[in-house]
């Protein structure tokens, strides 16, 4: 894996998007973590265990498997290459790039709201 | 001669009263602010108190000039230099704390400015001032020193001003958020207004510029007061309330609105 995923940050970002009414995609911690792992493993096959390493604290095995099937596979974000093994597609990488921009937006909003909060 | 100096006395007195009252009201309403904003609030209270403390001896100085008492004028000029030298200390703390949120770093940086201020005072008292030169509008002193002290003084003032401008720029860049203009931008503009015109007031050798600077200091103080205690006209125009959230509809309106939604 090229770099570690900051699960705590991803959780905060997802919570923020949920708080503004975006419950799916950027506001879904499972979606975020799965896509992050897939992006990090873009040059090789992502094993189901690679994803579960991050998602076990948020969801059970079944719901992650179901999410991969119903969202990632169905929308063509990943390609199943073997049993329990997936490869991210170009569309998936595009979604990962969008996810990055949602993190940037969150950081920008958070920084500004912190400043405003400290203003008397 | 009488009218101009009287006007100057009134302006100085108005600045003193308004800034001290503002500091007092801010301190009295301290309980309404969150724990996170309290350090910045106390820095603001200190800042406005120092502005008042600078203009109180200045008012007496102008009265002394009006009554033709140069000795009192000189003593008051020397006294007013003390709060003036430390005016940047609470301001630097305020800006640093609001920007980075770390109390300790803000304390260290503002302590540095306190040392700068103290060394300015040392330089100022060792060089002395030439004056008073009483004119139609004011009583002018010129620091008996080369340009170095002026440059030093500008350094003491330019850094905090740059910090305020930086903070304002940051707010404008982050345009994706609805910022309560009234509560965030206006106090900063008012502070920079007051801060820069106090500097102009102290270093200018021209009486008209001095009185104009004092008018702007007064305008800045009123502006800051309006930012924290907005009047109805401001509420309507800038949605100026205590914080960003209050721009939303109130609870009763919301319930009524929710009732009208067809599910």
């Amino acid at each position: 894996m090229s770099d570690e995923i900051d699960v705590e940050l991803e959780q905060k970002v997802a919570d923020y998007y949920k708080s503004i009414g975006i419950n799916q995609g950027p506001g879904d911690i499972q979606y975020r973590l799965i896509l992050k792992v897939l992006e990090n493993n873009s040059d090789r096959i992502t094993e189901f265990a690679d994803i579960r390493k991050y998602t076990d604290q948020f969801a059970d095995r079944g719901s992650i498997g179901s999410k991969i099937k119903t969202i990632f596979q169905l929308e063509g974000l990943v390609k199943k290459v073997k049993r329990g093994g997936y490869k991210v597609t170009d569309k998936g990488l595009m979604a990962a790039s969008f996810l990055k921009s949602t993190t940037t937006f969150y950081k920008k909003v958070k920084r500004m709201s912190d400043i405003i909060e400290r203003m008397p | 001669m009488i009218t101009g100096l009287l006007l100057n006395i009134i302006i100085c007195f108005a600045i003193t009263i308004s800034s001290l009252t503002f500091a007092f009201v801010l301190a009295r309403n301290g309980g309404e602010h969150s724990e996170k904003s309290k350090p910045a609030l106390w820095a603001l209270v200190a800042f406005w108190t120092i502005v008042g403390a600078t203009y109180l001896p200045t008012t007496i100085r102008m009265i002394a000039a009006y009554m033709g008492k140069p000795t009192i004028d000189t003593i008051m000029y020397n006294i007013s230099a003390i709060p003036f030298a430390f005016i940047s200390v609470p301001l630097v703390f305020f800006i640093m704390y609001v920007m980075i949120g770390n109390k300790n770093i803000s304390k260290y940086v503002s302590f540095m400015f306190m040392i700068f201020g103290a060394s300015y005072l040392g330089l100022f008292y060792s060089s002395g001032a030439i004056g008073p030169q009483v004119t139609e509008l004011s009583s002018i002193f010129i620091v008996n020193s080369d340009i170095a002290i002026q440059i030093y003084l500008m350094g003491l003032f330019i850094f905090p001003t740059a910090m305020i401008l930086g903070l304002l720029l940051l707010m404008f860049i982050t345009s994706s958020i609805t910022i309560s203009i009234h509560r965030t931008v206006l106090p900063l503009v008012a502070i920079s207004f007051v801060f820069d015109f106090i500097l102009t007031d102290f270093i200018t050798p021209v009486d008209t510029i001095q009185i104009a600077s004092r008018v702007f200091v007064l305008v800045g103080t009123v502006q800051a007061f309006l930012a924290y205690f907005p009047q109805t006209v401001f509420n309507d125009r800038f949605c100026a309330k205590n914080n960003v959230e209050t721009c939303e509809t109130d609870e009763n309106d919301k319930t009524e609105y929710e009732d009208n939604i067809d599910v």
Side-chain angles (χ1 to χ4, degrees):
Chain A
M1 212 170 279
S2 55
D3 55 345
E4 278 294 305
I5 297 164
D6 187 348
V7 179
E8 211 175 307
L9 174 71
E10 293 304 325
Q11 176 71 71
K12 281 180 185 165
V13 180
D15 287 346
Y16 168 72
Y17 281 99
K18 258 187 196 161
S19 76
I20 55 170
I22 304 169
N23 295 307
Q24 302 298 317
D28 179 3
I29 182 67
Q30 293 179 24
Y31 174 87
R32 295 191 74 89
L33 290 174
I34 295 168
L35 202 52
K36 282 267 169 193
V37 176
L38 287 166
E39 187 198 12
N40 282 355
N41 294 348
S42 57
D43 52 347
R44 62 186 177 90
I45 295 167
T46 304
E47 301 286 341
F48 196 57
D50 294 335
I51 298 169
R52 284 195 56 205
K53 192 178 139 191
Y54 294 101
T55 56
D56 270 1
Q57 52 182 307
F58 300 103
D60 56 42
R61 187 184 168 151
S63 66
I64 295 301
S66 154
K67 186 141 284 178
I68 292 177
K69 203 172 176 181
T70 56
I71 296 172
F72 287 85
Q73 263 186 280
L74 193 70
E75 299 299 339
L77 305 180
V78 291
K79 200 169 62 185
K80 190 171 181 177
V81 286
K82 61 171 188 176
R83 186 178 160 79
Y86 304 92
K87 187 100 174 66
V88 69
T89 60
D90 285 347
K91 199 177 174 188
L93 286 173
M94 244 189 312
S97 166
F98 166 71
L99 211 59
K100 262 185 198 162
S101 66
T102 63
T103 309
T104 313
F105 178 79
Y106 163 77
K107 283 180 179 167
K108 201 165 86 170
V109 169
K110 183 81 174 56
R111 188 178 58 183
M112 205 61 231
S113 63
D114 282 348
I115 285 178
I116 290 169
E117 206 182 344
R118 286 192 291 268
M119 283 278 286
Chain B
M1 180 175 175
I2 292 170
T3 325
L5 265 172
L6 268 179
L7 178 69
N8 207 331
I9 292 166
I10 292 165
I11 293 168
C12 289
F13 186 67
I15 295 169
T16 309
I17 292 296
S18 52
S19 55
L20 287 177
T21 310
F22 183 38
F24 173 74
V25 177
L26 271 181
R28 199 186 55 186
N29 295 342
E32 289 174 10
H33 296 266
S34 67
E35 281 305 314
K36 270 193 178 175
S37 69
K38 269 188 181 159
L41 174 80
W42 291 113
L44 263 192
V45 171
F47 174 76
W48 290 108
T49 309
I50 292 176
V51 171
T54 308
Y55 277 93
L56 183 63
T58 309
T59 310
I60 302 170
R61 190 163 90 74
M62 290 301 125
I63 296 169
Y66 175 74
M67 293 169 79
K69 305 228 183 275
T71 322
I72 299 172
D73 197 346
T74 311
I75 292 168
M76 287 301 145
Y77 180 73
N78 286 328
I79 291 173
S80 66
I82 301 169
F84 170 70
F86 296 109
I87 202 162
S88 55
V89 178
L91 188 61
V92 167
F93 180 90
F94 173 80
I95 299 293
M96 289 296 287
Y97 179 76
V98 166
M99 278 182 103
I100 59 171
N102 188 318
K103 241 195 274 187
N104 286 333
I105 295 174
S106 314
K107 270 183 202 165
Y108 295 139
V109 178
S110 54
F111 183 70
M112 272 170 57
F113 273 80
M114 189 185 261
I115 294 169
F116 288 150
S119 38
Y120 160 73
L121 266 187
L123 272 170
F124 171 77
Y125 285 130
S126 61
S127 331
I130 304 165
Q133 187 197 336
V134 181
T135 66
E136 279 181 16
L137 291 169
S138 187
S139 158
I140 303 278
F141 278 90
I142 298 159
V143 179
N144 185 22
S145 167
D146 55 8
I147 194 78
I149 196 164
Q150 309 284 12
I151 291 169
Y152 188 85
L153 195 58
M154 281 179 187
L156 201 64
F157 276 74
I158 282 168
F159 282 111
T161 309
M163 285 175 177
I164 293 175
L165 291 178
L167 189 55
L168 281 172
L169 192 69
L170 192 71
M171 284 177 172
F172 284 118
I173 287 170
T174 323
S175 54
S176 54
I177 313 164
T178 313
I179 294 171
S180 169
I181 295 170
H182 202 272
R183 200 57 194 266
T184 51
V185 177
L186 203 58
L188 292 174
V189 173
I191 289 169
S192 87
F193 226 66
V194 170
F195 193 66
D196 293 330
F197 281 110
I198 287 180
L199 172 69
T200 315
D201 176 359
F202 266 76
I203 62 172
T204 183
V206 184
D207 57 355
T208 44
I209 294 178
Q210 191 186 64
I211 202 159
S213 305
R214 285 175 186 175
V215 169
F216 282 116
V217 171
L218 183 61
V219 168
T221 314
V222 174
Q223 206 180 344
F225 198 90
L226 285 174
Y228 282 93
F229 307 101
Q231 303 305 302
T232 325
V233 63
F234 280 89
N235 279 338
D236 296 343
R237 193 164 170 78
F238 298 110
C239 191
K241 291 276 178 72
N242 287 335
N243 51 40
V244 183
E245 280 79 18
T246 49
C247 292
E248 293 169 357
T249 51
D250 71 17
E251 275 309 305
N252 293 335
D253 290 349
K254 221 178 197 176
T255 319
E256 206 173 290
Y257 174 72
E258 279 162 5
D259 288 344
N260 292 334
I261 297 171
D262 294 326
V263 182

